Amino acid sequence: MSDAALPEPTLLARSLRVLSGNRTGAIGVVLVALIVGSALLAPWIVPYDPAAIMVGPRMAPPSADHWLGTDNIGRDIFSRVIAGGRIAMLVAAASLSAALTAGLALGLIAGLGPRWLDNLLLLVLDAVRSFPVIVFGLAVDTIIGPSLFTVVLVVTITSVPIYARIVRTQTLALKNAEFILAERAMGVGMPRLLFVHVLPNVLGPLLILASMDVPLVIATEAGLSFLGMGVRPPTPSWGVILNDGYNFIRNSPWPVIGGSVPIILVTLGFTFMGEALRDIFDPKLRKGG
Amino acid sequence: MLFYTAQRLVLSVVIVMVAVSILTLMLHVVPGDPAVMILGPRATPELIERTREAMGLDRPLPVQILMFFANILRGDLGEDVFTGRAVSQIVFEQLPYTMILISVAILWSAACGIALGAYSALRRNTWLDTLSGVVSVGTISIPAFVMALYSVLIFAVWLGWLPAIGAGDGFLDGIVHLILPAFAIGVAWVGYIARIVRASMLEVMTQPHVRMARAFGLPDRRITRSHILKIAVLPAVTLIGTGVAHLFSAAVFVEVIFARPGIGALLVGAVNERNYPIVLGAVLITTCIIVLATLISDLVVALLDPRQREDI
């Protein structure tokens, strides 16, 4: 192939080219920037205190004062949605970074450790994966009670198996790669092998997967909070807003609409962005058809 | 094939056992007396003592887990701490509602998804193909519980076409009450299945055995049906098999939102009462069903795909 002779384009150049030719990728990046930005700036951009009651009439439709209307006790839905985004992003960031770290560690141990340990870990990971996330979350809730921490814990535990498996597969493949064998023959130590050769090769696919998992995490948080088993009222979470909306669904549709639209936008945004990331980092993975 | 089946069966049993051990261990990892934790702050000392004895909490942990396994093998999942009824009885009373709900949901969505995916693959780049692509992405990005809320809002509150509460009385009423919940769970699956069937059909269509069939002059319809579609649906079978866990998660929300009986509603109620024996029993049964579904889907794929059958 003559491609090998061409100079490798820089990452930035490749990113820009993929994004300019990929409309959904660009939409994804814009949506993610919008949501992450509003979550970071939430305390400064909310028009009302998200927990303050009776800042307007009860269950009012959208107006110039209340962009998404008000809920059953007169709280401003728009402010609550923005503040809920902060909770959602917090849960996603905390649980995904914990899951990535644990997955990396377990995957490396399984890939590089002795055979029996590998088999044991695989068995435990498969067992954890066979729990439905919400059902497992409910079981954990029974024991330690509902809280923001419970949600993070549940999401972390249920996400670890997928990451650990990917790291394990990549590590096993690398373990016998020629350049690793050569390094080992030259007397390079394990830490250097891990941090210089194995980690960078494993991290790429892992981060792409994590980006595509953000919507799942957010749906889990919202779902558990909706059931009253996650973030507790009065903390505004999208799930809590949806639960309020469900209880008064016959009186006003706005809490349900306000609480659900951001979930849908987050899902679209991170999915599109994840697909674009995959194209940028690993064109081989791109699916035809 | 027989060896493969036996091997997978043993592995499945081991996975369920590990899963149960994890659930039992969880009770003991957190500080505090499990009996007090299960019964909540309002429990009397006598009740705590009775529970501790009934659950074998006074014995060493490995013995407890072994006892629990021995009881499971006898079909005994323990007793409800509040009513004293057998947990297995309570769980199996609710199970049929959930199984009917998720079966109907996955059946209608598989039928629509396969048809849509096959049509999109055969008529690539037509308006229906584009539309099905857009609708797939759209529906996949809506979580089941949000879909359930919108189903209630649109079809029950605004249009008033369908009931939104309960499971109905009698057969016909039951079906009418099943429509919205099954719709809410299944919609996203139509998109998933359509996308995966479309991609795999496009792949199978370029394979040598299809060209061969064409060279033999077999009619197009027959090639599509028995040489392309039969293999192209296999990834969808695997997807559904591994997706049963998601179906159960969705069922929890849908049963709560539509106030239907079922495992999900039982679980949520039990969690609110902190009734751990029921939670444990319900999780155990769902885990068994999920592991079994994965096993069955793998075996079905192995049976239907001659290429995979030779490997095993």
Side-chain angles (χ1 to χ4, degrees):
Chain A
M1 294 289 268
S2 58
D3 283 8
L6 292 173
E8 183 97 332
T10 65
L11 189 64
L12 184 70
R14 251 189 309 163
S15 314
L16 286 177
R17 205 177 54 209
V18 169
L19 279 183
S20 65
N22 180 341
R23 216 179 315 151
T24 53
I27 295 175
V29 172
V30 170
L31 279 176
V32 169
L34 209 68
I35 289 158
V36 173
S38 76
L40 286 175
L41 300 174
W44 295 279
I45 54 177
V46 290
Y48 299 90
D49 176 356
I53 58 171
M54 297 317 276
V55 295
R58 289 153 172 261
M59 292 184 277
S63 63
D65 287 337
H66 303 282
W67 294 358
L68 285 172
T70 52
D71 69 3
N72 52 304
I73 47 176
R75 293 175 295 196
D76 181 55
I77 296 174
F78 179 73
S79 303
R80 291 178 66 71
V81 166
I82 298 290
R86 204 174 162 84
I87 300 286
M89 289 300 143
L90 183 74
V91 170
S95 49
L96 283 177
S97 43
L100 279 176
T101 315
L104 255 177
L106 289 175
L108 287 174
I109 292 172
L112 299 171
R115 188 74 185 272
W116 63 267
L117 192 62
D118 183 23
N119 285 336
L120 182 73
L121 276 175
L122 278 185
L123 205 62
V124 173
L125 293 176
D126 275 351
V128 171
R129 217 169 43 158
S130 67
F131 295 130
V133 181
I134 296 295
V135 171
F136 179 71
L138 291 177
V140 175
D141 261 322
T142 331
I143 298 171
I144 59 174
S147 69
L148 193 64
F149 171 76
T150 313
V151 178
V152 173
L153 185 74
V154 166
V155 174
T156 305
I157 293 177
T158 49
S159 315
V160 165
I162 305 158
Y163 299 140
R165 266 187 167 271
I166 287 184
V167 174
R168 174 185 171 271
T169 315
Q170 295 265 354
T171 313
L172 281 179
L174 282 172
K175 199 157 109 179
N176 297 318
E178 279 176 11
F179 75 96
I180 298 279
L181 288 178
E183 292 259 324
R184 273 168 65 185
M186 290 193 302
V188 174
M190 206 45 158
R192 191 185 142 79
L193 268 182
L194 272 184
F195 286 101
V196 178
H197 295 293
V198 179
L199 267 185
N201 275 302
V202 165
L203 222 49
L206 215 54
L207 286 177
I208 295 168
L209 197 71
S211 145
M212 294 173 111
D213 272 353
V214 172
L216 278 180
V217 174
I218 288 173
T220 307
E221 183 270 309
L224 283 174
S225 303
F226 174 81
L227 292 174
M229 311 284 173
V231 179
R232 303 291 289 168
T235 310
S237 138
W238 292 340
V240 173
I241 300 173
L242 283 172
N243 189 31
D244 291 341
Y246 167 66
N247 289 329
F248 294 90
I249 201 165
R250 286 175 196 280
N251 307 89
S252 165
W254 295 106
V256 167
I257 294 171
S260 60
V261 168
I263 297 179
I264 297 167
L265 290 182
V266 163
T267 309
L268 286 175
F270 277 95
T271 310
F272 288 160
M273 193 180 81
E275 280 171 1
L277 275 178
R278 191 181 56 198
D279 292 352
I280 292 168
F281 283 102
D282 197 352
K284 273 176 295 180
L285 280 175
R286 200 173 348 188
K287 277 204 179 145
Chain B
M1 186 73 206
L2 203 65
F3 180 68
Y4 173 75
T5 313
Q7 206 183 5
R8 287 294 320 265
L9 204 63
V10 171
L11 188 67
S12 304
V13 172
V14 174
I15 285 179
V16 171
M17 284 171 67
V18 174
V20 174
S21 308
I22 294 173
L23 287 172
T24 327
L25 278 173
M26 270 182 2
L27 256 185
H28 299 269
V29 175
V30 286
D33 183 346
V36 177
M37 218 148 42
I38 288 166
L39 295 169
R42 284 160 301 163
T44 59
E46 299 87 66
L47 191 60
I48 291 174
E49 197 46 49
R50 217 173 63 217
T51 311
R52 196 176 288 152
E53 230 167 82
M55 292 181 67
L57 290 173
D58 42 357
R59 282 171 236 203
L61 189 57
V63 178
Q64 282 183 44
I65 294 181
L66 280 179
M67 266 175 49
F68 190 68
F69 281 133
N71 286 339
I72 291 173
L73 286 179
R74 284 189 286 130
D76 177 8
L77 294 178
E79 274 174 12
D80 175 6
V81 279
F82 295 110
T83 61
R85 287 179 66 208
V87 170
S88 53
Q89 196 189 346
I90 298 175
V91 172
F92 281 108
E93 263 170 23
Q94 301 296 319
L95 191 62
Y97 291 103
T98 307
M99 293 309 288
I100 290 174
L101 174 64
I102 59 180
S103 311
V104 171
I106 202 63
L107 279 177
W108 86 260
S109 55
C112 292
I114 290 172
L116 204 62
Y119 185 88
S120 301
L122 292 175
R123 304 262 188 283
R124 265 177 88 182
N125 302 327
T126 56
W127 66 269
L128 195 79
D129 178 25
T130 317
L131 182 74
S132 107
V134 172
V135 171
S136 298
V137 176
T139 50
I140 289 169
S141 54
I142 305 176
F145 77 101
V146 174
M147 191 57 93
L149 287 174
Y150 275 101
S151 310
V152 172
L153 187 64
I154 296 171
F155 296 106
V157 176
W158 286 347
L159 298 173
W161 286 351
L162 290 160
I165 289 173
D169 301 312
F171 185 69
L172 272 180
D173 200 31
I175 290 178
V176 173
H177 279 79
L178 200 56
I179 296 175
L180 280 184
F183 169 80
I185 295 180
V187 161
W189 284 89
V190 177
Y192 272 125
I193 294 172
R195 284 188 92 179
I196 204 162
V197 167
R198 178 182 183 274
S200 94
M201 263 194 84
L202 289 174
E203 202 186 312
V204 175
M205 268 152 56
T206 61
Q207 297 213 336
H209 80 271
V210 175
R211 210 170 23 169
M212 189 76 150
R214 232 169 235 136
F216 274 120
L218 290 181
D220 268 356
R221 282 184 81 85
R222 201 165 141 211
I223 296 177
T224 307
R225 216 179 29 224
S226 42
H227 295 275
I228 300 178
L229 199 55
K230 203 177 138 192
I231 295 178
V233 294
L234 296 179
V237 174
T238 309
L239 182 77
I240 295 171
T242 50
V244 174
H246 294 287
L247 285 171
F248 269 104
S249 284
V252 172
F253 293 116
V254 166
E255 282 168 10
V256 169
I257 290 172
F258 290 95
R260 289 176 65 83
I263 291 277
L266 177 74
L267 249 174
V268 173
V271 175
N272 280 328
E273 296 175 334
R274 311 198 89 187
N275 195 337
Y276 202 67
I278 291 200
V279 173
L280 193 60
V283 177
L284 173 68
I285 298 296
T286 45
T287 307
C288 285
I289 295 172
I290 288 160
V291 171
L292 195 69
T294 314
L295 176 69
I296 291 175
S297 76
D298 283 357
L299 292 180
V300 166
V301 170
L303 265 178
L304 286 183
D305 191 345
R307 293 167 307 178
Q308 294 205 26
R309 203 171 2 180
E310 278 158 24
D311 293 342
I312 46 183

